[in-house]
Amino acid sequence: MVENRPWLTVFSHLVLILGIGVVVLPLWVTLVSSTHAGEDLLRSPIPMWFGNQMFENYSQMLSSGMKHVSGQPLTGMMLNSLIMALSIAIGKIAISLIAAFAICYFRFPFRMTCFWLIFITLMLPVEVRILPTYEVIANVFTPLTKLLALLGYEGTDVVIAGFSIDLDVSMLDSYAGLTLPLIASATATFLFRQFFLTVPDELTEAARIDGAGPMKFFRDILLPLSRTNIAALFVILFIFGWNQYLWPLLVTTDPSYATVVMGIQRMVNVADIEPQWNLVMAASMLAMLPPVAIVIGMQRLFVKGLVETEK
Amino acid sequence: MANLQISGVEKVYPNGFKAIHGIDLKVEDGEFIVLVGPSGCGKSTLLRMIAGLETVTGGTIQIGDRVVNDLEPADRDIAMVFQNYALYPHMSVYQNMSYGLRNRGFPKAAIEERVQKAASILQLDGLLDRRPRQLSGGQRQRVAMGRAIVREPAAFLFDEPLSNLDAKLRVQMRVEIKQLQRRLGTTSVYVTHDQIEAMTMADRLVVMNAGVAEQIGTPIDLYEKPSSVFVGGFIGSPAMNFMPGQVEADGRHLTLADGSRLVLPADGRTVEPGRSVTIGVRPEHLMPSSDTDSALKFEIVLVEHLGADTLLYGLASAVQGAGEGGLLTVRMSGHHVMPAGTVIPLVADPSHLHLFDVATGRRI
Ligand SMILES: Nc1ncnc2c1ncn2[C@@H]1O[C@H](COP(=O)(O)OP(=O)(O)O)[C@@H](O)[C@H]1O
Ligand SMILES: [Mg+2]
């Protein structure tokens, strides 16, 4: 739309500047606060320009962490968050691609049932099914023992051919427990299915005539065509995974599995003393870096994936 | 190179719809066959069964001396050119053309040689590194052709390959495809709904109607001896005129609905006197006559000047239609200036009258 009215231009710029201000101001305060000593931030007004404690604050967070809060360096938590976010993003994309491929390109019994089952899980994000999911993660065999209990068999041991099998495997305090329940969801499957449906049938048929079997077709044609969608989804899922709070809080008690979001929360919720805001802000800045890096690094593909339909 | 034999082929879609009602066709080695018919008559279905993209629910399809009913498309030794080209968008022209060969495990050098050869035949030399979206419609079409010819298959299958091109390019590509096919001598089956494309390209045509092969023959055969009202009306442009008539007692004349008379061809065919028939006359076989009594009355509505020809559209009460009569088309060579409303008497060239059974529409 091309409009040539000066006051409209001024107005739209004002709106934009206001919008940017709303987004940028908190970031600015965070950044500036992270460069001051703790006392500076307790006085009002809060500083709006850089202090001289930047190096001290950041190096303390990265090397030793906050003394009275677990005393863990942030690096370990960042690594945990990174592992969690990457596992969720990669795991979800991998599983969704394969599931969507199966649903769109193969005819097998109960295909539509499978699709609808997957689709229904869209309505059940982790927050909704958090209790049963916790129970399953606490003991992977919960569904089985419950089933056995229904059939009148009590207890968590099963004896098969003389071997006693203990039906009690816990995934609490493990990376698997952190990530698996978040990987299992339908959004990505649904998105890939919608994308696959837009791939012309003729392309599939041309590949068949060219002698490409199903897996070859998947690898040589479908994956490259989904490239931009995968990138866009990766960015979204990485940030989704990185920002997880409730679930990690629930399934991890061992501090060595703490994620950075949990860590920051603990730094703020200290008893008896004032939170060290300068350090909290430094931690926040650090916690923001990986998602920002991912967005910037994949920006071109990401935007393409959102707007372009390359066919 | 191979011939292609289709025997009693039928197709029932999973939803129970019967799209092909038993078709027999023998395509000689190197022949260019065109399947033509209105949209939805089953052309694509038949072609896709030959390609192996649809299952064959009855009859057999034989390529060379192999029955291919149950073979995968890739194992049938065919190549197909699709309407929307179906080029792989993320691959370069070179990769598009070589993909099939790579999947078959051809050595690199052989692939290179075949692709280069095809590219030079199709004038794609400078474009091998481009992506499909960087090509024009005609170039994409050529790449699709290239992908087919590098395979050196026993048969080419084309499904309306030119319908996405503009009119001028379509005529040009039509000539190119035909020349290429001559040069390679590869058996080809070509699907189109465009009867001009069909007439100009085909060695033999198969006119299809509602899943049935109405007539199979050379373009001239079909034009001069259409086996049914459907074929007569479908082949030729402008379309054949049809009118009801009755054979007179002498067996040598026809009486039309408006009382006018046409002379029957004296080619020895006998039609029983008194029989009602459908008469087919092509527009170029109707001409003005001086005999105003028994000639067909034709009132001009519209005149089209094509340069070499003049087309007259008008009403004649001999043709069934609403009110004062149905539409009739007359083609005259040269220029003729005639105002609308002029009534002219017409006679038909007796040697080019086509008679069809009223009930079945078959040629008598
Ligand atoms: N997968 C299908 N299932 C059911 N009916 C189909 C299917 N594909 C095509 N048809 C029907 O079969 C008939 C022939 O289709 P097609 O061969 O595509 O016609 P065309 O001559 O236009 O190429 C049409 O009436 C069409 O509706
Ligand atoms: Mg078709």
Side-chain angles (χ1 to χ4, degrees):
Chain A
M1 198 166 61
V2 183
E3 293 267 359
N4 194 12
R5 270 175 280 177
W7 60 267
L8 196 70
T9 313
V10 172
F11 177 72
S12 48
H13 276 82
L14 270 180
V15 170
L16 283 177
I17 289 167
L18 201 73
I20 291 173
V22 168
V23 174
V24 168
L25 192 69
L27 284 176
W28 178 254
V29 170
T30 311
L31 180 62
V32 165
S33 309
S34 70
T35 64
H36 282 271
E39 313 88 71
D40 297 350
L41 301 180
L42 299 177
R43 260 176 270 139
S44 86
I46 54 165
M48 286 309 275
W49 195 248
F50 296 103
N52 54 6
Q53 298 290 305
M54 179 165 176
F55 182 74
E56 288 81 351
N57 291 345
Y58 282 84
S59 58
Q60 188 191 336
M61 282 325 293
L62 286 175
S63 58
S64 58
M66 232 182 267
K67 272 184 290 309
H68 43 268
V69 187
S70 75
Q72 275 199 338
L74 211 62
T75 34
M77 299 187 211
M78 300 253 305
L79 192 68
N80 285 341
S81 285
L82 192 71
I83 291 174
M84 179 172 75
L86 282 179
S87 312
I88 290 175
I90 295 172
K92 214 161 167 164
I93 288 174
I95 288 185
S96 308
L97 271 171
I98 296 169
F101 180 54
I103 285 174
C104 290
Y105 288 95
F106 293 88
R107 221 161 283 134
F108 50 91
F110 304 113
R111 181 166 134 265
M112 282 325 275
T113 318
C114 286
F115 173 69
W116 284 109
L117 279 178
I118 294 175
F119 188 74
I120 283 170
T121 64
L122 268 183
M123 289 178 253
L124 302 170
V126 168
E127 288 76 8
V128 174
R129 55 183 160 95
I130 201 152
L131 284 178
T133 307
Y134 180 84
E135 232 181 304
V136 172
I137 294 299
N139 178 10
V140 181
F141 288 109
T142 309
L144 191 61
T145 48
K146 290 252 154 99
L147 197 70
L148 289 177
L150 262 185
L151 298 173
Y153 184 92
E154 295 292 341
T156 57
D157 294 301
V158 179
V159 183
I160 298 169
F163 292 97
S164 163
I165 301 168
D166 188 10
L167 293 183
D168 188 4
V169 174
S170 167
M171 290 208 286
L172 296 178
D173 280 323
S174 74
Y175 288 123
L178 266 178
T179 54
L180 279 184
L182 294 164
I183 288 176
S185 101
T187 22
T189 311
F190 190 65
L191 286 176
F192 280 124
R193 172 185 179 262
Q194 294 309 94
F195 171 69
F196 290 168
L197 289 183
T198 68
V199 173
D201 287 344
E202 286 194 347
L203 217 54
T204 318
E205 291 169 351
R208 259 182 92 186
I209 291 179
D210 268 344
M215 290 331 278
K216 206 162 199 155
F217 169 71
F218 182 67
R219 206 182 55 220
D220 290 350
I221 317 275
L222 222 45
L223 269 189
L225 285 182
S226 319
R227 207 176 91 243
T228 53
N229 291 51
I230 291 174
L233 212 58
F234 181 82
V235 172
I236 293 169
L237 290 177
F238 183 87
I239 294 173
F240 164 82
W242 185 270
N243 288 342
Q244 281 304 314
Y245 171 62
L246 188 60
W247 182 249
L249 200 63
L250 211 62
V251 289
T252 61
T253 43
D254 181 348
S256 64
Y257 283 105
T259 65
V260 76
V261 177
M262 288 162 68
I264 291 173
Q265 162 69 10
R266 289 201 182 129
M267 292 172 203
V268 179
N269 272 351
V270 283
D272 305 333
I273 46 166
E274 284 292 337
Q276 288 173 289
W277 285 112
N278 57 332
L279 295 181
V280 173
M281 293 304 176
S284 302
M285 285 313 291
L286 286 170
M288 250 184 279
L289 283 181
V292 168
I294 293 275
V295 169
I296 291 176
M298 302 190 75
Q299 182 199 22
R300 269 194 47 227
L301 269 178
F302 176 64
V303 173
K304 248 190 182 170
L306 289 185
V307 299
E308 190 186 315
T309 47
E310 182 188 354
K311 247 154 270 136
Chain B
M1 313 293 133
N3 54 18
L4 169 70
Q5 194 159 349
I6 294 169
S7 326
V9 162
E10 297 186 352
K11 174 70 186 179
V12 181
Y13 276 110
N15 65 0
F17 180 76
K18 189 160 188 182
I20 303 285
H21 297 260
I23 287 188
D24 296 293
L25 173 67
K26 191 165 191 303
V27 185
E28 297 300 333
D29 186 13
E31 204 177 11
F32 197 108
I33 289 281
V34 175
L35 305 181
V36 65
S39 182
C41 68
K43 312 176 292 287
S44 298
T45 305
L46 184 59
L47 192 78
R48 291 163 54 79
M49 282 197 284
I50 300 173
L53 298 171
E54 294 285 356
T55 53
V56 180
T57 54
T60 57
I61 295 175
Q62 200 173 330
I63 299 176
D65 41 21
R66 283 190 306 169
V67 172
V68 297
N69 280 32
D70 299 320
L71 290 184
E72 271 292 300
D75 302 327
R76 293 192 179 197
D77 201 15
I78 47 100
M80 185 152 168
V81 178
F82 294 88
Q83 177 171 358
N84 297 313
Y85 322 128
L87 301 177
Y88 311 120
H90 58 292
M91 293 188 193
S92 68
V93 169
Y94 185 93
Q95 289 168 328
N96 261 290
M97 283 165 64
S98 59
Y99 186 62
L101 296 180
R102 274 186 283 146
N103 287 339
R104 283 176 175 72
F106 270 63
K108 264 213 161 66
I111 296 180
E112 171 81 24
E113 190 198 312
R114 284 200 188 184
V115 173
Q116 292 296 350
K117 197 172 127 209
S120 76
I121 293 177
L122 294 162
Q123 296 145 32
L124 289 169
D125 305 87
L127 307 173
L128 288 177
D129 294 327
R130 296 235 193 133
R131 292 285 163 86
R133 69 164 167 278
Q134 297 165 313
L135 301 175
S136 72
Q139 287 168 335
R140 285 181 208 186
Q141 187 59 66
R142 288 210 189 93
V143 176
M145 291 285 303
R147 186 167 64 180
I149 65 180
V150 293
R151 297 258 313 276
E152 298 179 4
F156 289 141
L157 307 176
F158 300 87
D159 194 354
E160 311 217 11
L162 303 183
S163 51
N164 280 356
L165 302 177
D166 62 58
K168 196 170 161 214
L169 201 54
R170 202 179 311 161
V171 174
Q172 183 191 332
M173 287 302 297
R174 170 171 110 194
V175 176
E176 277 184 33
I177 290 180
K178 181 68 192 170
Q179 279 178 340
L180 187 68
Q181 192 268 343
R182 282 260 165 77
R183 177 170 165 185
L184 300 173
T186 309
T187 313
S188 302
V189 182
Y190 185 107
V191 162
T192 178
H193 64 267
D194 179 346
Q195 58 99 11
I196 298 190
E197 211 170 283
M199 292 288 279
T200 51
M201 297 180 85
D203 291 332
R204 277 193 305 151
L205 294 148
V206 179
V207 180
M208 292 183 57
N209 180 24
V212 174
E214 284 268 339
Q215 190 173 3
I216 301 175
T218 64
I220 298 303
D221 270 354
L222 264 62
Y223 192 78
E224 297 197 327
K225 284 204 166 54
S227 69
S228 66
V229 169
F230 177 82
V231 177
F234 192 79
I235 300 289
S237 166
M240 184 182 270
N241 298 300
F242 293 102
M243 44 204 153
Q246 196 167 25
V247 183
E248 291 182 2
D250 64 359
R252 311 268 291 270
H253 291 82
L254 290 160
T255 313
L256 303 185
D258 65 345
S260 59
R261 303 174 70 205
L262 292 176
V263 183
L264 268 176
D267 58 0
R269 271 183 301 165
T270 50
V271 190
E272 59 195 275
R275 180 168 178 183
S276 289
V277 293
T278 301
I279 304 161
V281 199
R282 296 206 178 272
E284 57 267 44
H285 299 138
L286 284 169
M287 54 220 127
S289 141
S290 50
D291 172 12
T292 47
D293 287 345
S294 64
L296 212 155
K297 311 277 178 308
F298 173 73
E299 184 186 345
I300 298 175
V301 174
L302 181 74
V303 181
E304 279 181 3
H305 299 282
L306 302 181
D309 292 330
T310 305
L311 292 182
L312 310 177
Y313 298 94
L315 299 169
S317 48
V319 184
Q320 276 168 337
E324 61 251 76
L327 212 55
L328 202 66
T329 317
V330 179
R331 178 189 220 138
M332 298 167 73
S333 56
H335 276 304
H336 299 272
V337 181
M338 275 175 268
T342 316
V343 177
I344 50 175
L346 292 176
V347 289
D349 180 348
S351 55
H352 287 106
L353 274 188
H354 308 278
L355 300 186
F356 303 98
D357 185 83
V358 172
T360 62
R362 305 304 301 180
R363 185 182 187 82
I364 298 172

Short mmCIF file of all heavy atoms in Angstrom, two decimals, chain B residues 13 15 17 19 38-45, ligand 1:
data_model
loop_
_atom_site.label_atom_id
_atom_site.label_comp_id
_atom_site.label_asym_id
_atom_site.label_seq_id
_atom_site.Cartn_x
_atom_site.Cartn_y
_atom_site.Cartn_z
N TYR B 13 -12.13 -47.26 -10.27
CA TYR B 13 -11.48 -46.57 -9.15
C TYR B 13 -11.99 -47.13 -7.83
O TYR B 13 -13.09 -47.70 -7.78
CB TYR B 13 -11.74 -45.06 -9.23
CG TYR B 13 -10.76 -44.35 -10.13
CD1 TYR B 13 -11.15 -43.81 -11.34
CD2 TYR B 13 -9.42 -44.24 -9.75
CE1 TYR B 13 -10.23 -43.17 -12.17
CE2 TYR B 13 -8.50 -43.60 -10.58
CZ TYR B 13 -8.91 -43.06 -11.78
OH TYR B 13 -8.01 -42.45 -12.58
N ASN B 15 -13.42 -45.93 -5.49
CA ASN B 15 -14.75 -45.47 -5.09
C ASN B 15 -15.86 -46.09 -5.94
O ASN B 15 -17.01 -45.72 -5.82
CB ASN B 15 -14.84 -43.94 -5.15
CG ASN B 15 -14.71 -43.40 -6.56
OD1 ASN B 15 -14.54 -44.18 -7.50
ND2 ASN B 15 -14.78 -42.10 -6.71
N PHE B 17 -16.13 -46.03 -9.23
CA PHE B 17 -16.37 -45.37 -10.52
C PHE B 17 -15.58 -46.08 -11.62
O PHE B 17 -14.39 -46.32 -11.50
CB PHE B 17 -15.95 -43.90 -10.45
CG PHE B 17 -16.15 -43.16 -11.73
CD1 PHE B 17 -17.42 -42.75 -12.12
CD2 PHE B 17 -15.08 -42.88 -12.56
CE1 PHE B 17 -17.60 -42.08 -13.32
CE2 PHE B 17 -15.26 -42.20 -13.76
CZ PHE B 17 -16.53 -41.80 -14.13
N ALA B 19 -13.89 -45.84 -14.88
CA ALA B 19 -13.37 -44.76 -15.73
C ALA B 19 -13.01 -45.26 -17.12
O ALA B 19 -13.09 -44.52 -18.09
CB ALA B 19 -12.16 -44.11 -15.08
N PRO B 38 -12.85 -35.20 -24.70
CA PRO B 38 -13.20 -34.11 -23.79
C PRO B 38 -12.69 -34.38 -22.38
O PRO B 38 -12.35 -35.52 -22.04
CB PRO B 38 -14.72 -34.10 -23.82
CG PRO B 38 -15.12 -35.46 -24.24
CD PRO B 38 -14.03 -35.97 -25.13
N SER B 39 -12.65 -33.37 -21.58
CA SER B 39 -12.17 -33.49 -20.21
C SER B 39 -12.99 -34.52 -19.45
O SER B 39 -14.20 -34.54 -19.56
CB SER B 39 -12.26 -32.12 -19.56
OG SER B 39 -11.76 -32.18 -18.26
N GLY B 40 -12.31 -35.39 -18.71
CA GLY B 40 -13.01 -36.36 -17.89
C GLY B 40 -13.35 -37.66 -18.60
O GLY B 40 -14.02 -38.52 -18.04
N CYS B 41 -12.86 -37.84 -19.86
CA CYS B 41 -13.23 -39.06 -20.59
C CYS B 41 -12.32 -40.23 -20.25
O CYS B 41 -12.54 -41.34 -20.70
CB CYS B 41 -13.21 -38.80 -22.09
SG CYS B 41 -11.56 -38.51 -22.71
N GLY B 42 -11.28 -39.99 -19.46
CA GLY B 42 -10.43 -41.09 -19.04
C GLY B 42 -9.08 -41.17 -19.73
O GLY B 42 -8.38 -42.18 -19.59
N LYS B 43 -8.69 -40.14 -20.45
CA LYS B 43 -7.39 -40.15 -21.13
C LYS B 43 -6.24 -40.30 -20.13
O LYS B 43 -5.38 -41.17 -20.29
CB LYS B 43 -7.16 -38.84 -21.91
CG LYS B 43 -8.31 -38.39 -22.77
CD LYS B 43 -8.02 -37.05 -23.40
CE LYS B 43 -7.95 -35.88 -22.46
NZ LYS B 43 -9.22 -35.39 -21.92
N SER B 44 -6.26 -39.44 -19.12
CA SER B 44 -5.16 -39.49 -18.14
C SER B 44 -5.15 -40.83 -17.42
O SER B 44 -4.09 -41.39 -17.17
CB SER B 44 -5.31 -38.37 -17.12
OG SER B 44 -5.22 -37.13 -17.74
N THR B 45 -6.33 -41.31 -17.11
CA THR B 45 -6.41 -42.59 -16.42
C THR B 45 -5.71 -43.68 -17.23
O THR B 45 -4.90 -44.44 -16.70
CB THR B 45 -7.89 -42.97 -16.19
OG1 THR B 45 -8.51 -41.90 -15.49
CG2 THR B 45 -8.01 -44.24 -15.41
N1 LIG C 1 -8.76 -41.16 -8.08
C1 LIG C 1 -9.97 -41.15 -8.66
N2 LIG C 1 -11.02 -41.68 -8.03
C2 LIG C 1 -12.25 -41.68 -8.60
N3 LIG C 1 -12.52 -41.20 -9.82
C3 LIG C 1 -11.51 -40.64 -10.51
C4 LIG C 1 -10.18 -40.58 -9.97
N4 LIG C 1 -9.39 -39.97 -10.87
C5 LIG C 1 -10.19 -39.66 -11.91
N5 LIG C 1 -11.45 -40.06 -11.70
C6 LIG C 1 -12.58 -39.91 -12.63
O1 LIG C 1 -12.29 -40.64 -13.78
C7 LIG C 1 -12.71 -39.94 -14.95
C8 LIG C 1 -11.56 -39.80 -15.92
O2 LIG C 1 -10.58 -38.98 -15.35
P1 LIG C 1 -9.30 -38.57 -16.18
O3 LIG C 1 -8.66 -39.78 -16.72
O4 LIG C 1 -8.44 -37.72 -15.31
O5 LIG C 1 -9.91 -37.68 -17.33
P2 LIG C 1 -9.20 -36.84 -18.48
O6 LIG C 1 -9.65 -37.43 -19.75
O7 LIG C 1 -9.71 -35.44 -18.32
O8 LIG C 1 -7.72 -36.91 -18.28
C9 LIG C 1 -13.25 -38.61 -14.47
O9 LIG C 1 -14.64 -38.69 -14.49
C10 LIG C 1 -12.74 -38.48 -13.07
O10 LIG C 1 -13.66 -37.79 -12.27
#
